[in-house]
Amino acid sequence: MKQDTRPINVGMTDLMSFRWPVTAIASIAHRIAGGVLFAGIAVMLFALDMSLSSEAGFESLKAMMLAPVGKLITWALLSALAYHLVAGVRHLFMDLGFGETLEGGVFSARLTLFFSTILIVLVAIWVYGG
């Protein structure tokens, strides 16, 4: 009888050794960006409340946003928004019938990663470089 050598449980090391298709990477990143945006809503509502509470609250929020952690949070939220927007447009085109083949899906996933990388770099320049 042949012994089954397949792994019973897939661990993190197993996941890192897989060769992920670009379509899977684009899809997983789209879901992660959506999760980051969902969590970011709470952060942005807190910031809005703080900025509208008083002049001192606004100045305090301004100081937090200029701190390195504040810039990182701003960059992360804007990057997630940029990626989610580009991936959402990709899905809208797919809903219209474009890129539904395997080759079209791979091409559109690569375009999504390319354009979102450009937007994320521009966001970093805007947040950190001014």
Side-chain angles (χ1 to χ4, degrees), residues 2 23 41-43 50 64 66 72 77 93 101 110 116 118:
K2 183 178 175 185
T23 52
I41 289 172
V43 175
M50 190 174 185
M64 280 192 268
L66 293 174
L72 180 66
L77 290 175
F93 276 113
T101 63
R110 286 183 178 152
S116 61
I118 290 172

Side-chain angles (χ1 to χ4, degrees), residues 1-43:
M1 181 184 282
K2 183 178 175 185
Q3 186 177 5
D4 191 7
T5 59
R6 295 179 294 174
I8 295 171
N9 294 319
V10 178
M12 285 303 290
T13 56
D14 298 320
L15 289 175
M16 300 309 266
S17 67
F18 292 155
R19 185 170 182 270
W20 293 88
V22 69
T23 52
I25 293 169
S27 177
I28 292 168
H30 189 204
R31 291 168 190 260
I32 290 171
V36 169
L37 288 174
F38 181 74
I41 289 172
V43 175

Side-chain angles (χ1 to χ4, degrees), residues 42-103:
V43 175
M44 291 292 100
L45 286 175
F46 170 75
L48 178 66
D49 181 55
M50 190 174 185
S51 71
L52 296 176
S53 64
S54 66
E55 187 176 343
F58 178 79
E59 292 300 325
S60 177
L61 177 66
K62 191 169 146 183
M64 280 192 268
M65 296 286 286
L66 293 174
V69 173
K71 286 185 177 187
L72 180 66
I73 291 170
T74 303
W75 174 79
L77 290 175
L78 289 173
S79 296
L81 182 63
Y83 184 83
H84 204 69
L85 174 73
V86 173
V89 169
R90 172 187 180 229
H91 282 284
L92 287 175
F93 276 113
M94 290 174 74
D95 288 343
L96 294 173
F98 300 106
E100 290 182 327
T101 63
L102 180 60
E103 296 83 15

Side-chain angles (χ1 to χ4, degrees), residues 19 34 78 91 113 117 123 125:
R19 185 170 182 270
L78 289 173
H91 282 284
L113 293 171
T117 301
V123 163
I125 292 169

